[in-house]
């Protein structure tokens, strides 16, 4: 079984005031997250604004985080081109990342057979462990349980980040895959419900803000203290929800900045959080004692 642990943060990419990558703050944030109990980090995923990062910026982020933290680094390399994804995977492997996060192709809307062929082709070109990523709300493409079941037979496809928001689909996937194939919730608010039907952990956004609390919730569930886990889940529910009231990572970057962790703004085509969003986030952070 792959050893990525149960609490993984999909890390934002800190920018300076000119929206250049601030590598010192990248390291500082990565260290903060690992110190708060994260067992691995996803870099250059959706939350890391991968679509607006250059190949050079991505490579530099992998290098500097790998050099400065002691947890596994999972690189978000997926695109809607199989060839480009393979090239990204090979480049990340050369730098020394520990695994790959590969999203279902967006915009092209492949059918299930095409999805299988896409991921199989990528897996054949790398020996790194692969975490599939299903997020139909962003891609317009839902990878079905039977497709995950087939892909789980491929040796280096070892995990799934499932962000379909459907607990029945979670359960159906878990029913179909081997025990050593790890299912992670890709939606913070689904972490506990998903673990209740057999998911292993979470690839989180909220853990930027409430990482210790999320670790406590997961640990409580694992030792069968379900009442404690439920209480923490309900306490965090508003922040889970409100970090997605506009497109990720706009709210989480705003929340980090509010708490004194300067990660800068977001690159176009995203724009910074409006006052209406800031007001909601401020209320959540105050209630959690984070301000």
């Amino acid at each position: 079984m792959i050893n990525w642990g149960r609490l993984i943060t999909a890390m934002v990419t800190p920018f300076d005031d000119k929206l250049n990558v601030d590598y010192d703050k990248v390291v500082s944030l990565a260290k903060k997250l690992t110190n708060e109990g994260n067992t691995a980090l996803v870099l250059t995923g959706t939350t890391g604004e991968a679509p607006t990062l250059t190949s050079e910026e991505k490579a530099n982020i992998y290098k500097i985080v790998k050099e400065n933290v002691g947890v596994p680094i999972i690189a978000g390399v997926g695109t809607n081109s199989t060839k480009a994804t393979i090239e990204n995977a090979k480049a990340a492997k050369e730098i020394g990342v520990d695994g790959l996060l590969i999203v279902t192709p967006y915009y092209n809307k492949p059918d299930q057979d095409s999805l299988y062929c896409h991921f199989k082709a990528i897996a054949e070109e790398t020996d790194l462990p692969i975490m599939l990523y299903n997020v139909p709300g962003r891609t317009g493409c839902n990878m079905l349980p039977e497709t995950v079941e087939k892909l789980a037979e491929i040796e280096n496809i070892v995990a799934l980040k499932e962000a379909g928001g459907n607990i029945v689909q979670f359960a159906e996937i878990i029913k179909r895959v081997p025990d050593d194939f790890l299912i992670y919730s890709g939606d913070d608010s689904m972490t506990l419900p998903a673990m209740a039907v057999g998911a292993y952990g979470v690839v989180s956004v909220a853990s930027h803000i409430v990482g210790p609390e999320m670790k406590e919730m997961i640990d409580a569930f694992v030792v069968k203290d379900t009442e404690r886990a439920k209480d923490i889940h309900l306490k965090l529910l508003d922040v889970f929800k409100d970090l997605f009231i506009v497109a990720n990572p706009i709210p989480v970057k705003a929340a980090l900045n509010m708490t004194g962790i300067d990660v800068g703004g977001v690159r176009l085509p995203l724009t910074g959080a409006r006052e209406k969003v800031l007001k909601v986030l401020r209320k959540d952070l105050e209630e959690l004692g984070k301000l």
Side-chain angles (χ1 to χ4, degrees):
M1 184 183 291
I2 199 73
N3 188 24
W4 288 339
R6 296 182 187 271
L7 178 61
I8 303 173
T9 292
M11 198 175 98
V12 304
T13 300
F15 296 139
D16 63 20
D17 56 4
K18 294 182 179 178
L19 295 181
N20 296 313
V21 178
D22 190 321
Y23 294 102
D24 289 340
K25 289 176 183 172
V26 168
V27 171
S28 177
L29 180 59
K31 287 182 175 179
K32 168 195 179 292
L33 294 171
T34 55
N35 289 339
E36 290 179 349
N38 275 268
T39 51
L41 297 173
V42 168
L43 304 177
T44 70
T46 307
T47 311
E49 297 178 74
T52 65
L53 296 174
T54 67
S55 296
E56 182 181 8
E57 287 171 330
K58 291 175 184 178
N60 289 337
I61 290 168
Y62 304 152
K63 285 177 188 172
I64 199 163
V65 175
K66 185 67 181 171
E67 289 169 0
N68 284 279
V69 302
V71 300
I73 301 304
I74 304 166
V77 299
T79 73
N80 61 345
S81 160
T82 307
K83 181 180 178 182
T85 302
I86 290 168
E87 291 171 355
N88 290 347
K90 289 180 176 179
K93 168 72 185 292
E94 286 182 13
I95 293 165
V97 305
D98 302 288
L100 305 171
L101 177 75
I102 304 180
V103 70
T104 53
Y106 40 87
Y107 191 71
N108 345 47
K109 298 179 77 172
D111 62 20
Q112 298 301 306
D113 287 341
S114 301
L115 280 175
Y116 176 81
C117 292
H118 168 76
F119 285 112
K120 182 174 182 287
I122 297 164
E124 288 172 346
E125 295 292 332
T126 182
D127 60 359
L128 284 174
I130 292 170
M131 180 187 291
L132 308 171
Y133 180 19
N134 186 44
V135 56
R138 279 189 179 263
T139 64
C141 170
N142 182 31
M143 184 160 53
L144 296 177
E146 51 265 38
T147 305
V148 178
E149 180 182 17
K150 285 175 62 181
L151 288 167
E153 296 173 0
I154 297 172
E155 185 177 3
N156 60 327
I157 298 181
V158 299
L160 167 69
K161 176 184 177 184
E162 172 60 31
N166 183 335
I167 197 65
V168 176
Q169 181 158 301
F170 261 111
E172 183 64 31
I173 293 168
I174 290 162
K175 181 180 175 182
R176 287 171 174 261
V177 299
D179 291 342
D180 61 353
F181 185 88
L182 302 183
I183 311 296
Y184 289 86
S185 175
D187 178 344
D188 287 302
S189 64
M190 289 288 286
T191 304
L192 190 60
M195 291 186 75
V197 295
Y200 188 72
V202 62
V203 180
S204 175
V205 173
S207 51
H208 285 92
I209 308 298
V210 289
E213 292 89 341
M214 292 189 72
K215 181 180 185 301
E216 184 181 357
M217 178 184 76
I218 291 168
D219 289 348
F221 181 82
V222 169
V223 299
K224 297 183 170 52
D225 188 353
T226 53
E227 192 69 20
R228 178 65 181 147
K230 179 205 73 175
D231 289 346
I232 298 169
H233 170 78
L234 294 177
K235 177 183 175 183
L236 301 179
L237 194 56
D238 284 347
V239 78
F240 287 163
K241 176 186 65 179
D242 294 338
L243 286 174
F244 292 88
I245 53 175
V246 291
N248 180 41
I250 293 169
V252 70
K253 276 195 153 182
L256 282 164
N257 290 331
M258 281 183 193
T259 61
I261 301 164
D262 181 11
V263 293
V266 292
R267 286 179 175 174
L268 288 168
L270 301 181
T271 56
R274 306 291 200 272
E275 182 54 39
K276 180 178 172 183
V277 172
L278 295 174
K279 183 178 179 182
V280 171
L281 295 173
R282 196 174 293 117
K283 178 175 180 291
D284 290 341
L285 295 172
E286 286 173 350
E287 288 178 353
L288 291 169
K290 297 293 179 179
L291 293 183

